[in-house]
Amino acid sequence: MAKFEEIGTASIPGQGTRLRLLKRNDEFSIRIAGSPGELMNTRLHGSEDALAELACQRVTERPGARVLVGGLGMGFTLAAALAGLGEDAEVVVAELVPGVVEWNRGPLGAAAGHPLDDARTRVVVGDVGELLRDEPGGFDAILLDVDNGPEGLTRRENDWLYSPEGLAAAQRALRPNGVLAVWSAGEDSAFTERLRRVGLLVETVTVRAQRSGKGARHCIWLAC
């Protein structure tokens, strides 16, 4: 079997480390330099799709629906959100690492169908937490997939997103009857309780890593 080859690196702002983009034939992988395993792979995006599908099906009938995606990754969550929304919708995607945006405009773009080229997409290069604080009542749905679970992985500052203060900010950023969806590689009962303590109704859904229904079981919280 062919080996992965590194085709790009991107610095994580303020962390002194970087992301690596690797390719093997038509398969791509993103990893953190110096850490084992991978963050994401173009063959394993079923749960990223489900994050958007489960959330957007609750708001797709709303005129001018506005959705925030925290974490561009390989573009699959963004693409699934666009597929589930109307032509008058707007999807704001916040990505902290400028290099990840460049990869999605370049070698990674075709994997998810070039969602950055959709006229409904607006890219913000920066911290999704700032958007949560700055836009109260701004979104019908908020989709967070910036770490492997409800704790900072790519950078410790992300811990705020999953704290009571961060969840309260997300709640304020939602429009009436909006939905907050959070992706995780596994379940976390303490995070479920934190969601409930800020006054959100919580549903936990288990989904598979692959569209075929195979692969690892991942967790998605839907809170409103």
Side-chain angles (χ1 to χ4, degrees):
M1 178 181 292
K3 294 183 178 180
F4 277 110
E5 295 184 1
E6 183 179 287
I7 63 170
T9 63
S11 297
I12 301 174
Q15 300 306 296
T17 188
R18 56 193 172 87
L19 298 177
R20 304 171 64 215
L21 177 63
L22 300 99
K23 183 179 182 182
R24 179 175 63 191
N25 299 324
D26 62 349
E27 177 184 5
F28 291 89
S29 173
I30 294 179
R31 307 179 185 186
I32 298 178
S35 298
E38 62 184 1
L39 290 177
M40 57 200 84
N41 185 293
T42 49
R43 294 187 177 181
L44 303 171
H45 59 87
S47 59
E48 285 86 351
D49 297 346
L51 174 67
E53 292 164 357
L54 290 168
C56 289
Q57 67 185 13
R58 299 188 177 202
V59 302
T60 188
E61 298 299 326
R62 299 185 186 187
R66 195 159 182 258
V67 173
L68 173 62
V69 176
L72 174 58
M74 291 180 158
F76 291 108
T77 299
L78 171 60
L82 292 166
L85 295 169
E87 292 302 313
D88 61 345
E90 179 184 43
V91 181
V92 180
V93 57
E95 173 53 53
L96 181 70
V97 182
V100 170
V101 178
E102 294 174 7
W103 292 343
N104 276 269
R105 294 198 186 281
L108 267 179
H114 298 286
L116 291 185
D117 293 342
D118 193 300
R120 296 170 294 167
T121 299
R122 180 165 73 88
V123 180
V124 176
V125 178
D127 185 353
V128 66
E130 294 182 6
L131 287 176
L132 296 180
R133 288 185 284 258
D134 293 346
E135 295 206 36
F139 303 99
D140 295 286
I142 297 170
L143 287 53
L144 297 181
D145 182 11
V146 296
D147 294 291
N148 266 6
E151 63 179 358
L153 175 66
T154 54
R155 63 176 195 147
R156 300 314 305 176
E157 289 89 339
N158 284 357
D159 283 340
W160 178 85
L161 290 172
Y162 315 108
S163 70
E165 294 77 15
L167 296 176
Q171 188 178 27
R172 288 192 296 271
L174 288 172
R175 292 172 175 171
N177 300 312
V179 58
L180 168 66
V182 183
W183 183 96
S184 174
E187 296 184 10
D188 187 324
S189 58
F191 182 63
T192 302
E193 185 58 28
R194 285 202 298 278
L195 287 165
R196 289 174 176 154
R197 285 181 179 176
V198 298
L200 292 165
L201 299 175
V202 185
E203 177 185 358
T204 304
V205 182
T206 300
V207 295
R208 292 281 195 161
Q210 298 182 32
R211 293 292 298 185
S212 64
K214 298 180 180 180
R217 288 178 169 85
H218 297 158
C219 177
I220 294 172
W221 288 271
L222 297 168
C224 58

